Amino acid sequence: MGCHKLLLSELKMWTSGRSGWISRLHYGISWRGKASFSSCSPKVCIVGGGPAGFYTAQHLIKARQDAEVDIYERLPVPFGLVRFGVAPDHPEVKNVINTFTQTAKHSRCSFYGNVNVGKDVSVEELQQAYHAVVLSYGAEGNRRMGVPGEDLAGVHSAKDFVGWYNGQPSCRELRPDLNCETAVILGQGNVALDVARILLSPIDILKKTDITQPALEALAESQVRRVLIVGRRGPMQVACTIKELREMVNLPGARPEMVVADFEGVTEALKDLPRPRKRLTELMLKTALEIPGEKEQERRNKASHIWGFRFFRSPVEVLADPDRSRAAGIRLAVNKLEGSGEAARAVLTGEVEDVTCGLVISSIGYKSLPIDPSVPFDSRKAIVPNSMGRVQQAAGVYCSGWLKTGPTGVIGTTMNNSFDTAQSLVEDMNSGTLDVSTGKPGSQSISTLLEKRGVKPVTFADWEKIDNVEIKRGEASGKPREKLLTVEEMLQVART
């Protein structure tokens, strides 16, 4: 039934009896109590309540004054990697939560946490209920190193390690053993530097952040004194940004330790580098090669912790202790570069070197996982194949965020990529490529399905209860918040 016909039928019902009209009107009230503006307004469902999901919702609501957007999230809490990925000592990055909260509270937006799409409800069922489905569930998997020994105790992915200190429920049992002197981090992006900084930061700094209490206690007892940040290419190919590098350089109680030979020829190549890369490389050169001033030298002499980049190295094997029960070191292949700049490739030289360490953290990337057999998935690239966010061979299905592009960039990159997907969707609505003339039930039919299956969604108002409890718990110990660490605890508070 087209929109104009539906409105006409409502008018007829009004003339034939008030009660019929009232029951019809009742149909236009969502199960959560927010008024549906019309049974024919475009209804869009977003799967994933992280930055990509919220930015997509924000743009849709702004671009189409009649669009109604429902966000479904597997966990009872929203915000994804802003909550579980951003380092605890970077609270300013979490300010985007204020914008996301405004979006969630918009009259045409609803949040449904504790709903596992692919398990509690299928993508096909969402397609039947909504005009469009946008997949924005991010990258929950880990890229494996593919070397012997990577499953030994003492080897962790950066994603899990970050999840552990940030309160991701699935990482609560991680309990990394920090009873060793040297930690090796594989990868040289911002996440690798976050992990290094958290491992080496003075506890007095960390205890004022929203880091979890178990992580704080473990780090207070940590024996880690030296962190090596290893990359397969050279100083001009590191993936971190200058802000993160500067934080490492200025980290209280820590001093840099670099290999001078790694910087051979870098000074000469500086002039040809683009400005951001040039500034980053200059800071690295200064840190590695310049003799520090008196004040800086004094600071370094007092430092009890050491960090450093190790370039031109790739993991070959994690070496086990004599019992073969846990990691005791890592064997690294020595590389040389072929080509230059971003295109330079690491080529094996045949040499290897062994580094003694009791903790290995692999920070070589996150990976998206397939959600539902009905959705195309490129397992080699670990993305949903798409064109400008339009999922190929799946009409009415879109994707945004890391699921669309792979795990690259910062929150600003995700914002632009999500706005682009939302724009594709709006263009399809406006052009008629996506038919929004027929009424769809949206959350009403999904709520019925979930109820039958014993799934009780967490609304945004329920999340605000969790938020309040966490903030109050944090205040008691001088922290911005003390996160609830299990789904059970979250649900208990949400339903109080």
Side-chain angles (χ1 to χ4, degrees), residues 205-219:
I205 290 176
L206 294 179
K207 63 166 62 157
K208 292 173 187 153
T209 73
D210 68 357
I211 193 167
T212 66
Q213 196 56 33
L216 192 61
E217 288 165 12
L219 288 161

Side-chain angles (χ1 to χ4, degrees), residues 86-88 160-167 194-195 198 210-212 215 219:
V86 173
D160 291 349
F161 192 80
V162 170
W164 168 69
Y165 64 64
N166 270 335
D194 282 348
V195 170
I198 295 298
D210 68 357
I211 193 167
T212 66
L219 288 161

Side-chain angles (χ1 to χ4, degrees), residues 20-232:
W21 185 82
I22 287 167
S23 67
R24 184 53 148 168
L25 180 66
H26 177 74
Y27 179 77
I29 302 291
S30 81
W31 67 294
R32 210 195 120 178
K34 282 190 179 181
S36 280
F37 283 64
S38 155
S39 301
C40 287
S41 54
K43 289 187 171 64
V44 180
C45 146
I46 293 173
V47 179
F54 272 98
Y55 279 130
T56 306
Q58 182 189 327
H59 193 81
L60 285 171
I61 288 163
K62 197 174 169 186
R64 282 280 301 218
Q65 298 304 305
D66 57 347
E68 292 174 32
V69 181
D70 293 333
I71 300 171
Y72 291 90
E73 164 59 43
R74 185 172 52 86
L75 288 169
V77 294
F79 312 135
L81 277 186
V82 177
R83 178 179 168 98
F84 296 119
V86 173
D89 58 348
H90 283 175
E92 72 288 349
V93 182
K94 301 183 189 192
N95 289 340
V96 292
I97 283 175
N98 301 330
T99 311
F100 297 162
T101 298
Q102 283 176 355
T103 300
K105 289 184 158 186
H106 194 284
S107 58
R108 290 183 282 116
C109 184
S110 297
F111 173 81
Y112 303 113
N114 194 43
V115 178
N116 192 341
V117 173
K119 185 180 166 202
D120 298 332
V121 61
S122 71
V123 171
E124 285 173 306
E125 286 167 333
L126 292 174
Q127 283 180 278
Q128 285 160 22
Y130 291 89
H131 294 103
V133 174
V134 185
L135 302 172
S136 305
Y137 60 83
E140 289 175 56
N142 292 311
R143 277 183 60 197
R144 286 179 64 81
M145 292 185 279
V147 301
E150 74 174 304
D151 294 316
L152 285 166
V155 183
H156 304 284
S157 73
K159 186 184 86 65
D160 291 349
F161 192 80
V162 170
W164 168 69
Y165 64 64
N166 270 335
Q168 168 73 274
S170 62
C171 303
R172 194 172 66 94
E173 302 297 328
L174 196 71
R175 295 190 179 88
D177 185 351
L178 306 179
N179 197 24
C180 60
E181 188 175 313
T182 301
V184 169
I185 301 172
L186 301 163
Q188 295 178 328
N190 283 345
V191 174
L193 267 67
D194 282 348
V195 170
R197 200 175 62 253
I198 295 298
L199 280 170
L200 298 178
S201 282
I203 287 300
D204 287 348
I205 290 176
L206 294 179
K207 63 166 62 157
K208 292 173 187 153
T209 73
D210 68 357
I211 193 167
T212 66
Q213 196 56 33
L216 192 61
E217 288 165 12
L219 288 161
E221 298 295 314
S222 170
Q223 298 302 304
V224 175
R225 296 289 173 267
R226 179 169 172 254
V227 175
L228 301 179
I229 307 161
V230 177
R232 62 194 165 87

Side-chain angles (χ1 to χ4, degrees), residues 48 50-51 244 442:
E244 275 67 21

